[in-house]
Amino acid sequence: MKKILPALIASSALLPAGLAIAGDGLEDYRDRFEPLPYLPPIPSDNSLSAEKVGLGNMLFFEPRISSSGVISCATCHNPALGWADRIPRATGHHGQVGERNTPTVLNSGFLESQFWDGRAPDLETQALGPIEAGVEMAMDLDSALARLNEFDLYQRKFEAAFPDDEDPINAENLAKSLASFQRTLNTPHSPFDRYLRGDTDAIGGQAKDGMVAFVDNGCVACHRGPELTDSQFHAIQVPGSTDLGRYTVTKEESDKYRFRTPTLRNVAATYPYMNNGATETLEEAVAIMGREMLGREFEEATINDITAFLHTLTGEMPDFNVPALP
């Protein structure tokens, strides 16, 4: 016993300071949340490999798969801007302005569907949409693949990533590579994640008050799970928006004005907000959601507390390389 006790004391000194604290009395609230894993689920038909991720990294920054030769995925999903673009609505081919705000690709592998209207079930399906969209990159896939095939480096990269394919530069492998790269763009270890894992000092008192208000007011009903979204579709008509939402996909009357619940991960870094990007501040977004989704007019103190909580959801940005393109 004399030998074991010093060892236990020494090992406890290596734990984060917060773990030495018995608790802050908010265990019932903490239990309503889940920390973000380091990786999302990996589909059985697209295993994650270093070769696919490296190729996807290059393709994400490759403007030559757009018809103008100047727009890439990173144009709208800028790493310096929370992997979004921080403008109300995305600007694409020939300066066209899209109908919706650009969602971040951070942690997108955890989502159960992609795009505001959920028209893509997974990242592989989503990856090809912007390339072909006339308002975005405006490039047909055959032409995009032909451009990639012009470069020996891409030929070698595709062969390394898909060694069993006789003709690896194809649409399916383009999608799989982009999806693989996006599945590495995750932001674990936010202050709130550290708090959930036991460091009770990782977030401040106002943020804890915001967490309590977030739960007590019902925000957690839709913003739950490690990604803080239920990936479901809810009707909301935000100021200035006439977008019919999921109805444009299903043509079901009940889907009018329904949009997929956006993730709240890194929400403080991915402004402006809502499907039309017309909401500039997080405080304004909290007030709108309280009014439109919960039927409540939040007091200023509640708005400030919830906003402080949302700021703790900004995680560590992913490591990546800005590639040298051929």
Side-chain angles (χ1 to χ4, degrees), residues 12 17 23 31 34 71 98 100 122 124 132 169 173 175 183 189 191 196 202 217 244 250 254 267 274 306 316 322:
S12 67
D31 287 345
E34 301 174 46
I71 298 175
R100 295 171 181 165
D122 51 39
E124 283 77 9
E132 297 184 280
I169 300 183
N173 291 343
R183 286 196 177 93
H189 209 55
L196 292 179
N217 283 285
L244 293 176
T250 67
S254 60
V267 67
M274 308 300 177
I306 292 177
E316 295 180 351
V322 177

Side-chain angles (χ1 to χ4, degrees), residues 177-191:
S177 299
L178 285 168
S180 294
F181 173 61
Q182 290 183 67
R183 286 196 177 93
T184 68
L185 302 179
N186 307 310
T187 59
H189 209 55
S190 70

Side-chain angles (χ1 to χ4, degrees), residues 55-282:
L55 174 58
N57 188 355
M58 293 180 68
L59 295 170
F60 195 86
F61 289 87
E62 178 55 81
R64 285 168 292 198
I65 54 175
S66 69
S67 62
S68 64
V70 298
I71 298 175
S72 71
C73 302
T75 301
C76 292
H77 300 287
N78 189 327
L81 304 177
W83 295 80
D85 54 17
R86 290 188 185 165
I87 56 178
R89 293 177 295 157
T91 300
H93 185 63
H94 285 170
Q96 296 176 87
V97 177
E99 295 183 354
R100 295 171 181 165
N101 178 251
T102 301
T104 180
V105 297
L106 291 172
N107 308 304
S108 57
F110 292 95
L111 300 176
E112 295 178 14
S113 64
Q114 304 293 325
F115 297 111
W116 280 98
D117 55 22
R119 64 185 181 273
D122 51 39
L123 284 174
E124 283 77 9
T125 310
Q126 177 275 333
L128 301 181
I131 297 174
E132 297 184 280
V135 73
E136 297 183 62
M137 298 167 75
M139 187 72 157
D140 68 90
L141 285 178
D142 287 341
S143 298
L145 295 169
R147 283 190 178 179
L148 294 174
N149 221 353
E150 293 173 0
F151 298 95
D152 292 339
L153 180 58
Y154 276 126
Q155 292 177 18
R156 294 196 301 272
K157 292 286 186 179
F158 271 92
E159 288 171 1
F162 304 96
D164 297 329
D165 286 16
E166 185 176 340
D167 184 19
I169 300 183
N170 57 54
E172 180 180 0
N173 291 343
L174 170 61
K176 285 183 173 181
S177 299
L178 285 168
S180 294
F181 173 61
Q182 290 183 67
R183 286 196 177 93
T184 68
L185 302 179
N186 307 310
T187 59
H189 209 55
S190 70
F192 189 59
D193 288 315
R194 299 199 302 273
Y195 174 69
L196 292 179
R197 290 190 167 103
D199 182 357
T200 54
D201 292 329
I203 67 174
Q206 186 178 24
K208 292 179 182 180
D209 290 342
M211 175 186 68
V212 170
F214 190 88
V215 171
D216 286 349
N217 283 285
C219 307
V220 74
C222 296
H223 294 286
R224 62 177 187 262
E227 181 72 338
L228 288 165
T229 171
D230 59 4
S231 286
Q232 300 301 307
F233 302 90
H234 302 279
I236 181 171
Q237 287 184 268
V238 300
S241 175
T242 58
D243 194 328
L244 293 176
R246 186 151 175 78
Y247 173 82
T248 61
V249 178
T250 67
K251 304 304 179 186
E252 295 286 342
E253 193 73 17
S254 60
D255 279 333
K256 281 188 174 179
Y257 310 111
R258 289 185 180 273
F259 297 91
R260 180 178 52 75
T261 305
T263 176
L264 294 183
R265 291 283 176 177
N266 308 293
V267 67
T270 54
Y271 52 87
Y273 306 107
M274 308 300 177
N275 58 278
N276 63 347
T279 303
E280 295 184 1
T281 70
L282 204 47

